[in-house]
């Protein structure tokens, strides 16, 4: 595995120390290999001192993704990051977010086509799904959590030997209950009475606990979760919400799921803890009516002399015993109906007295039976849940991984993206900037047709301010980057060439004293390499005076024409450039203003058409929307046009 360390050290900005820190933090070189295979950038982000961007850069280089080699200008990088952020907005899990962060342009046509097919299939699936419902179920879906063991000192596990004690401790069972090893001490029984419940985990069953209340017997050869069912049950309780959501998602996906079995098992466990009938309350509530009934019945009895003598000797005559029997027998039936236990808690005295010892005995007996019943139900639940645990874990992993597909499919579906065709030319039909794609209800949104061919591989773009020249350039940058990322694109039809590099220079450049020199340092080397490029320049003439700009840009045009690269230059000095270079000129022209003083523009450029920039239309629009004082000024300007 020396290769991994070497690979890490080869990455720009990673020395021996950081390399070793990464390997140590992830748990070794084999773990790092797994992280690379699973594209699990989150584990790199989690390392202290490594930012998200640094982690993505490291992972991309480990995966040999060359996105930063392809994107060669700040504006192109901003557009790439905007595409990524738009897709991430559809992501519901950190897993899919991290996978999306790793999407990067490539020139590997096989890889690109495989990825596009995958996303188009995901788009088709998403189109047939209840997206909003699914998104709600998927939101913040997280990996399963292992619950912490809850220690309960009110119960105890009793074993026969130190060997058994060590065995259970190795299984981690001492994290749930104290473990006590039986001894010959006469105090053992007394010590055990301090606990609410005793789990006698036996290997030979040699201890005698006859009459011992609250005792549950378990064979030590059972599985750990049969000895302490909470080990499995708590895992399912802790993750109950996740399992329910994943079950719903699986139903929507028409996938088989074992997760529906969990709910009835958990419900059965909840029934166990329902409040029981209070034995003391039932026994006491019957006493007073018995006293009254006894009194009335005895008043109507005639006693003979010897019967009275028996009474004085504390012996009930048969007549009175019979009354007691009838009255108590009636109450025993009521007690059995209410508690389910057949016992006699009354002493034959007047007034009736309650046999506290008998009541306590029954309560202990019932408690012991209840604990045994609860344990049996829990054990049965643990066995059932353990049988589906691995499948349940796998389903959650499957759904979390599905979110990557769902996010990409949702993005492609909502933006109505289509599969690009890779040729040696650029031909766009019905192309639309991503920022406009979701504004379907806006009537002013217009799709664009445009092309560059092998014979006409560079064009000047002229025309109205606010007419859409910058939007066209950004749309082409988006389409080119998305196509090379293996994404479908925002166009009804699209032919695109695979490039080695993409440059997009925006007019939003600083015009300080050093701007011209720094521009030349970036701009001129573009044409000196053999790589095939897409170069988009947006009104750069402001960086220097007109004559110098014409000479620089016309030389640039000639060099692009002679190469396999493609370019578009947005400019207001097309007339001047045409004197120096033989180049196609396309135009976007405003035809006028509508009733709201918005420009009426056909945003699809006319080929071989020099369009005017029509500043008078912009002035007229501002004039119409200004207050009276400003109107006077704008009117004076407009007179000169």
């Amino acid at each position: 595995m020396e290769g991994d360390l070497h690979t890490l050290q080869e990455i720009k900005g990673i020395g021996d120390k950081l390399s070793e820190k990464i390997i140590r933090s992830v748990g070794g070189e084999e773990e790092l290999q797994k992280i690379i295979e699973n594209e699990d950038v989150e584990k790199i982000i989690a390392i202290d001192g490594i930012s998200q961007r640094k982690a993505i850069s490291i992972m991309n280089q480990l995966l040999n993704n060359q996105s930063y080699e392809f994107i060669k200008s700040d504006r192109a990088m901003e557009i790439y990051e905007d595409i990524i952020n738009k897709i991430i907005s559809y992501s519901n899990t950190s897993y899919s977010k991290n996978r999306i962060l790793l999407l990067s342009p490539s020139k590997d046509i096989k890889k690109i086509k495989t990825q596009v097919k995958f996303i188009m299939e995901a788009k088709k699936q998403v189109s047939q799904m209840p997206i909003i419902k699914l998104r709600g179920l998927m939101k913040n879906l997280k990996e399963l959590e292992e619950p912490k063991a809850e220690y309960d000192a009110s119960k105890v596990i009793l074993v026969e030997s130190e060997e058994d004690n060590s065995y259970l401790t190795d299984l981690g069972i001492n994290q749930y209950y104290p473990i006590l090893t039986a001894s010959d001490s006469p105090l053992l029984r007394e010590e055990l009475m301090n606990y609410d419940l005793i789990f006698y985990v036996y290997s030979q069953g040699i201890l005698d606990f006859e009459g011992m209340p609250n005792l549950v017997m378990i064979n030590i050869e059972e599985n750990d979760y049969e000895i302490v069912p909470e080990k499995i049950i708590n895992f399912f309780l802790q993750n109950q919400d996740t399992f329910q959501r994943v079950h719903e998602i699986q139903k929507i996906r028409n996938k088989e799921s074992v997760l529906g079995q969990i709910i009835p098992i958990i419900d059965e466990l909840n029934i166990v803890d329902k409040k029981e009938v209070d034995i003391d309350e039932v026994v006491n509530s019957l006493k007073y009516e018995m006293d009254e009934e006894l009194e009335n019945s005895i008043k109507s009895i005639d006693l003979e002399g010897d019967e009275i003598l028996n009474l004085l000797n504390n012996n009930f005559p048969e007549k009175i015993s019979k009354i007691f029997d009838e009255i108590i027998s009636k109450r025993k039936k009521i007690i059995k109906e209410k508690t389910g236990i057949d016992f006699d808690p009354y002493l034959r005295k007047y007034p009736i007295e309650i046999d506290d010892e008998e009541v306590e005995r029954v309560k202990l007996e019932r408690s012991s039976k209840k604990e045994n019943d609860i344990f049996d139900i829990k054990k049965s639940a643990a066995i059932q849940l353990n049988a589906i645990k691995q499948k349940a874990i796998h389903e959650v992993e499957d759904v979390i991984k599905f979110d990557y597909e769902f996010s990409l499919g949702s993005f492609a579906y909502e933006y109505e993206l289509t599969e690009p065709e890779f040729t040696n030319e650029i031909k766009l039909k019905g192309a639309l900037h991503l920022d406009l794609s979701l504004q379907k209800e806006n009537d002013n949104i217009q799709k664009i047709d445009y092309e560059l061919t092998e014979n006409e591989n560079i064009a000047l773009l002229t025309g109205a301010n606010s007419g859409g020249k910058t939007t066209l350039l950004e749309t082409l940058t988006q389409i080119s980057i998305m196509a090379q990322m293996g994404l479908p694109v925002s166009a009804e039809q699209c032919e695109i060439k695979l490039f080695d590099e993409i440059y997009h220079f925006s007019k939003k450049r600083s015009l300080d004293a050093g701007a011209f020199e720094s521009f030349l340092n970036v701009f001129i080397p573009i044409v000196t390499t053999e790589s095939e490029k897409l170069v988009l320049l947006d009104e750069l003439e402001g960086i220097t005076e007109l004559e110098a700009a014409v000479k620089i840009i016309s030389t640039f045009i000639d060099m692009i024409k002679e190469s396999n690269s493609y370019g578009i230059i947005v400019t207001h000095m097309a007339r001047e450039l045409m004197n120096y270079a033989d180049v196609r000129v396309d135009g976007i022209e405003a035809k006028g203003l509508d009733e709201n003083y918005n420009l009426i523009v056909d945003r699809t450029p006319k080929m071989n058409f020099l369009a005017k920039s029509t500043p008078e239309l912009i002035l007229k629009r501002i004039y119409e929307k200004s207050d009276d004082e400003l109107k006077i000024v704008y009117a004076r300007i407009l007179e000169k046009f």
Side-chain angles (χ1 to χ4, degrees):
M1 276 286 189
E2 281 299 310
D4 287 338
L5 187 61
H6 183 60
T7 308
L8 266 178
Q9 287 168 321
E10 277 185 344
I11 291 172
K12 208 164 89 178
I14 292 191
D16 290 356
K17 272 191 175 173
L18 187 52
S19 173
E20 282 167 22
K21 181 181 181 178
I22 290 169
I23 288 170
R24 194 172 62 251
S25 299
V26 300
E29 289 167 20
E30 282 188 26
E31 284 304 311
L32 178 63
Q33 198 58 39
K34 278 187 206 160
I35 287 166
I36 297 165
E37 283 164 14
N38 296 329
E39 298 185 16
D40 192 356
V41 73
E42 194 165 4
K43 288 206 168 73
I44 308 286
I45 293 170
I47 298 168
D48 191 36
I50 295 183
S51 67
Q52 179 173 294
R53 186 172 250 210
K54 178 86 170 170
I56 291 160
S57 170
I58 291 168
M59 184 60 90
N60 268 321
Q61 289 180 74
L62 287 169
L63 292 166
N64 206 21
N65 293 338
Q66 300 300 318
S67 59
Y68 296 93
E69 294 303 308
F70 173 72
I71 295 166
K72 291 300 221 183
S73 68
D74 290 345
R75 185 67 194 126
M77 180 56 82
E78 284 168 14
I79 290 170
Y80 164 71
E81 287 178 343
D82 180 59
I83 293 162
I84 290 287
N85 288 331
K86 280 181 166 63
I87 307 171
I88 280 175
S89 71
Y90 289 92
S91 161
N92 303 289
T93 62
S94 57
Y95 171 84
S96 64
K97 180 188 170 190
N98 289 325
R99 287 288 303 272
I100 291 160
L101 285 168
L102 291 174
L103 287 171
S104 58
S106 152
K107 213 182 170 188
D108 180 340
I109 189 70
K110 192 177 172 195
K111 180 182 166 187
I112 289 169
K113 286 187 171 179
T114 303
Q115 174 83 342
V116 173
K117 288 269 187 288
F118 167 73
I119 297 171
M120 291 304 287
E121 183 54 40
K123 175 190 172 185
K124 185 181 167 188
Q125 280 188 8
V126 165
S127 72
Q128 295 158 358
M129 289 174 167
I131 299 177
I132 305 298
K133 184 181 179 185
L134 204 47
R135 205 168 283 161
L137 290 166
M138 298 283 284
K139 204 75 200 158
N140 299 323
L141 200 64
K142 56 184 188 298
E143 290 184 358
L144 298 169
E145 296 169 351
E146 279 296 336
K148 285 197 178 90
E150 290 174 14
Y151 188 73
D152 184 355
S154 71
K155 296 167 184 159
V156 69
I157 287 179
L158 181 70
V159 292
E160 295 163 357
S161 67
E162 285 301 336
E163 193 185 342
D164 290 349
N165 192 324
S166 298
Y167 170 69
L168 293 184
T169 302
D170 289 345
L171 289 176
I173 283 172
N174 58 326
Q175 294 171 46
Y176 294 85
Y177 305 112
I179 303 176
L180 195 64
T181 304
S183 64
D184 295 334
S185 164
L187 298 173
L188 176 63
R189 187 175 273 262
E190 200 175 307
E191 191 180 345
L192 291 173
M193 293 302 278
N194 294 325
Y195 295 98
D196 295 344
L197 184 62
I198 303 141
F199 297 108
Y200 173 22
V201 180
Y202 65 90
S203 51
Q204 293 174 300
I206 50 175
L207 303 177
D208 179 17
F209 291 107
E210 188 66 39
M212 191 83 176
N214 293 10
L215 184 90
V216 175
M217 288 187 72
I218 310 161
N219 191 321
I220 200 164
E221 289 177 8
E222 303 274 21
N223 291 302
D224 57 351
Y225 57 84
E226 291 177 272
I227 297 170
V228 180
E230 286 77 10
K231 283 192 92 166
I232 290 280
I233 290 167
N234 290 353
F235 172 76
F236 280 88
L237 289 175
Q238 173 102 6
N239 297 294
Q240 198 171 352
D241 175 60
T242 301
F243 285 133
Q244 282 178 341
R245 284 161 63 190
V246 169
H247 181 52
E248 287 295 309
I249 293 162
Q250 295 292 64
K251 281 199 284 189
I252 291 168
R253 293 174 69 204
N254 293 320
K255 296 272 184 185
E256 276 187 29
S257 176
V258 297
L259 300 176
Q261 297 172 37
I262 295 169
I263 298 154
I265 297 169
I266 300 287
D267 286 348
E268 177 76 13
L269 288 170
N270 292 337
I271 293 165
V272 167
D273 292 330
K274 278 196 174 169
K275 195 171 182 299
E276 292 176 341
V277 178
D278 187 326
I279 290 177
D280 287 323
E281 197 181 300
V282 173
V283 169
N284 284 313
S285 69
L286 298 171
K287 174 183 156 17
Y288 302 104
E289 62 182 68
M290 287 166 75
D291 285 342
E292 200 177 317
E293 200 176 319
L294 202 56
E295 191 181 331
N296 292 334
S297 299
I298 289 172
K299 274 179 187 172
S300 61
I301 291 177
D302 290 331
L303 292 177
E304 307 288 329
D306 58 342
E307 289 175 322
I308 292 166
L309 284 172
N310 274 336
L311 259 178
L312 293 172
N313 289 324
N314 285 330
N315 290 325
F316 286 145
E318 199 179 324
K319 291 174 187 171
I320 292 177
S321 286
K322 201 174 174 190
I323 290 167
F324 269 107
D325 287 347
E326 281 173 7
I327 289 169
I328 288 171
S329 175
K330 210 191 298 181
R331 269 60 192 193
K332 274 176 68 181
K333 273 186 185 169
I334 294 169
I335 289 167
K336 189 174 180 186
E337 279 169 19
K338 290 195 174 181
T339 68
I341 305 167
D342 188 6
F343 74 107
D344 178 0
Y346 301 112
L347 296 172
R348 283 153 170 72
K349 291 185 178 180
Y350 179 79
I352 291 276
E353 286 183 18
I354 291 166
D355 186 344
D356 291 329
E357 276 187 24
E358 177 64 2
V359 170
E360 280 308 306
R361 183 194 69 77
V362 167
K363 276 160 68 178
L364 281 170
E365 192 179 278
R366 185 179 73 166
S367 177
S368 179
K369 184 179 185 309
K370 180 200 166 195
E371 291 299 348
N372 273 281
D373 288 348
I374 289 173
F375 181 78
D376 286 345
I377 290 166
K378 282 185 175 177
K379 180 177 165 180
S380 169
I383 290 167
Q384 291 174 71
L385 292 171
N386 185 67
I388 60 171
K389 185 179 179 184
Q390 285 313 312
K391 282 185 180 171
I393 291 168
H394 178 72
E395 280 191 48
V396 174
E397 286 171 355
D398 179 53
V399 165
I400 286 173
K401 284 180 178 169
F402 164 69
D403 186 46
Y404 174 63
E405 188 180 331
F406 179 62
S407 304
L408 289 168
S410 299
F411 171 65
Y413 174 66
E414 294 207 356
Y415 280 89
E416 297 180 357
L417 306 182
T418 61
E419 189 171 343
E421 188 185 338
F422 295 96
T423 64
N424 270 331
E425 300 187 324
I426 298 173
K427 292 182 181 175
L428 306 181
K429 192 167 184 301
L432 196 54
H433 193 291
L434 291 176
D435 286 351
L436 304 175
S437 280
L438 301 184
Q439 301 174 31
K440 307 280 188 312
E441 68 289 341
N442 188 336
D443 295 335
N444 292 326
I445 301 297
Q446 188 188 340
K447 294 183 175 181
I448 302 162
D449 298 344
Y450 197 64
E451 66 177 51
L452 293 170
T453 63
E454 287 183 272
N455 295 328
E456 293 178 329
N457 61 335
I458 186 160
L460 303 182
L461 190 57
T462 63
N465 291 321
S466 308
K469 300 189 299 293
T470 296
T471 303
L472 172 58
L473 252 58
E474 289 187 356
T475 304
L476 183 50
T477 300
Q478 281 178 348
I479 284 172
S480 181
I481 291 173
M482 287 169 76
Q484 292 201 210
M485 285 168 75
L487 298 173
V489 298
S490 182
E492 287 165 13
Q493 281 177 274
C494 163
E495 283 184 39
I496 193 82
K497 178 180 168 65
L498 287 179
F499 294 102
D500 297 310
E501 297 169 351
I502 184 166
Y503 295 84
H504 183 132
F505 291 104
S506 160
K507 59 187 170 188
K508 295 170 190 160
R509 290 180 65 86
S510 151
L511 298 184
D512 59 27
F516 178 53
E517 189 179 342
S518 67
F519 165 67
L520 289 177
N521 285 334
V522 172
F523 188 65
I524 298 304
I526 291 172
V527 287
T528 61
T529 60
E530 291 296 308
S531 59
E532 298 180 354
K533 310 162 189 76
L534 175 62
V535 186
L536 306 168
L537 309 178
D538 195 351
E539 291 184 38
L540 296 176
E541 49 262 39
I543 286 173
T544 183
E545 50 93 19
L546 182 66
E547 198 176 335
V550 169
K551 288 171 182 173
I552 293 164
I553 292 172
S554 61
T555 307
F556 182 80
I557 289 167
D558 288 339
M559 294 189 79
I560 290 282
K561 280 187 77 173
E562 293 159 16
S563 73
N564 289 324
S565 295
Y566 281 76
I568 301 173
I569 301 170
V570 170
T571 182
H572 289 295
M573 53 187 195
R575 282 186 201 283
E576 291 81 0
L577 285 166
M578 286 161 78
N579 294 328
Y580 282 89
D582 177 19
V583 62
R584 192 179 91 195
V585 178
D586 302 333
I588 298 175
E589 189 161 71
K591 298 187 179 79
L593 297 170
D594 64 16
E595 66 274 15
N596 298 317
Y597 307 107
N598 293 315
L599 287 174
I600 300 166
V601 180
D602 179 2
R603 295 183 191 277
T604 287
K606 284 185 190 169
M607 296 205 183
N608 300 303
F609 174 76
L610 177 62
K612 298 193 294 292
S613 61
T614 57
E616 68 272 22
L617 290 174
I618 308 288
L619 283 162
K620 192 161 187 237
R621 179 169 72 182
I622 298 171
Y623 163 80
E624 293 293 354
K625 292 187 172 183
S626 298
D627 57 35
D628 292 343
E629 279 181 39
L630 285 170
K631 260 190 173 161
I632 295 163
V633 180
Y634 284 120
R636 284 183 66 178
I637 297 169
L638 280 166
E639 280 170 19
K640 292 177 178 161
F641 276 84

